[in-house]
Amino acid sequence: MPRASGPLAEALRRGSVLLDGGLSNQLAAQGCDLSGDLWTGRVLDERPDQVEAAHTAYARAGAQVLITASYQVDPRHPRAAALLRRSVDLAARAAETADHEVWVAASVGPYGAVLADGSEYRGRYGLSVHRLADFHRPRIEALLAAGPDVLALETVPDPDEAEALLTVLAETGAPAWLSYTVADGRTRSGDPLPAAFARAARSEQIIALGVNCCDPAEVLPALEAAAATTRKPLLAYPNDGSVWNAGTRTWRTPDHPAPWPTRAWRTAGARLVGGCCRIGPDRITALAAELPRTGDVTDDQSS
């Protein structure tokens, strides 16, 4: 089936849209080696067939948006432009295997991701907004040249990096969503969420905003903070509540799985819902059964 026939922003005005899950955990389940600083980018470079297979698994699970494997591709890598284009092409090919419309979202991860030291969960790298914008610009330009449907400005740890990303976004005219990673009711850098969301909401190119790669318990308070600042559609794609240890490159899992009150998330304004790290195709299939799809009259979202 061809990719989605209309903009994602229009679909969000009609109802809920299901995101995919964690690419890294699916690649690991397929036996891929994710060691090294490139993380999923290593598989993108060495085994692109496995990346396409992972995207296809999510499309078959019901995902309506596939997020590319470009999250940790350093734009300074000698083959960055080719890898970024490949990431979009692979997701687009997987989208065509689905029996429903699928959008391709080009992942733009934070500066801290390419450092591979966990600093995307801290932010405040000591770089100015101007320098962060200079870092992100070539990656965003290369991704857009490959023709995704939307940019996913994701796992943003602080408002300074959000400002840098929004600065570059304004230069392109492209649509995007922006999602913070949060903890204890604030951005990872400790900034209050209302002000962080308000700045992103002022961008006409931001079609949705919310949170990702956080404990599911953090989602509802964050969505409520976002809803107090904007009428734009909101989004949520948390992880399973695990905490990443950058030193050992392992996840510390919670003793008990965190609940996912998706109905409450939708009531708060979430239109894009899915999973991040450690959320696999089986969980996306379950979400597909829970969420009313775009255009369903049962969707209880307000516009």
Side-chain angles (χ1 to χ4, degrees), residues 34-42 71-74 112-117 249:
L34 276 67
S35 62
D37 291 351
L38 277 176
W39 196 42
T40 57
R42 174 176 180 175
Y71 175 85
Q72 203 155 337
V73 176
D74 190 332
V114 305
L115 301 179
D117 63 358
R249 300 183 70 83

Side-chain angles (χ1 to χ4, degrees), residues 152-302:
L153 312 179
E154 57 178 355
T155 325
V156 180
D158 65 60
D160 283 353
E161 186 146 34
E163 182 70 29
L165 288 163
L166 293 168
T167 296
V168 179
L169 186 68
E171 300 166 0
T172 69
W177 76 65
L178 187 143
S179 56
Y180 287 100
T181 178
V182 299
D184 300 321
R186 304 173 78 87
T187 69
R188 293 283 185 161
S189 59
D191 291 274
L193 287 175
F197 284 128
R199 170 61 187 93
R202 289 195 293 271
S203 169
E204 294 183 358
Q205 293 162 254
I206 294 297
I207 65 169
L209 67 163
V211 293
N212 80 290
C213 210
C214 61
D215 191 302
E218 296 280 350
V219 170
L220 186 57
L223 292 177
E224 291 171 342
T229 69
T230 182
R231 298 281 293 173
K232 289 180 186 254
L234 305 183
L235 63 92
Y237 52 115
N239 56 38
D240 69 344
S242 297
V243 177
W244 177 247
N245 184 319
T248 62
R249 300 183 70 83
T250 58
W251 290 96
R252 177 168 53 82
T253 59
D255 293 333
H256 304 286
W260 283 49
T262 54
R263 185 174 182 84
W265 297 351
R266 290 190 293 112
T267 299
R271 291 290 185 99
L272 275 169
V273 177
C276 200
C277 299
R278 300 171 65 83
I279 302 299
D282 56 342
R283 189 71 184 91
I284 298 307
T285 297
L287 280 175
E290 297 173 19
L291 294 177
R293 297 302 189 92
T294 295
D296 285 355
V297 295
T298 55
D299 194 337
D300 57 7
Q301 293 298 303
S302 62

Side-chain angles (χ1 to χ4, degrees), residues 3-150:
R3 276 166 57 183
S5 57
L8 180 59
E10 290 183 6
L12 295 177
R13 285 192 283 269
R14 298 194 301 271
S16 299
V17 176
L18 180 63
L19 292 165
D20 59 7
L23 190 61
S24 60
N25 47 267
Q26 180 58 23
L27 290 172
Q30 293 170 193
C32 299
D33 185 355
L34 276 67
S35 62
D37 291 351
L38 277 176
W39 196 42
T40 57
R42 174 176 180 175
V43 188
L44 179 66
D45 188 17
E46 299 175 357
R47 293 295 308 275
D49 60 311
Q50 290 295 319
V51 174
E52 184 175 351
H55 286 314
T56 299
Y58 283 115
R60 291 176 177 169
Q64 297 168 278
V65 180
L66 300 178
I67 303 174
T68 65
S70 48
Y71 175 85
Q72 203 155 337
V73 176
D74 190 332
R76 299 164 298 190
H77 188 281
R79 298 187 58 242
L83 291 176
L84 293 168
R85 175 175 289 278
R86 175 182 289 175
S87 74
V88 175
D89 291 344
L90 294 172
R93 289 213 297 262
E96 293 173 358
T97 70
D99 61 0
H100 53 274
E101 289 191 314
V102 177
W103 289 267
V104 172
S107 173
V108 181
Y111 173 78
V114 305
L115 301 179
D117 63 358
S119 59
E120 69 263 46
Y121 298 116
R122 299 189 299 269
R124 300 298 187 212
Y125 317 112
L127 300 179
S128 67
V129 170
H130 178 76
R131 288 188 63 190
L132 286 170
D134 285 346
F135 169 81
H136 285 296
R137 187 173 288 108
R139 178 166 52 165
I140 288 175
E141 290 174 348
L143 287 168
L144 288 176
D149 298 297
V150 65

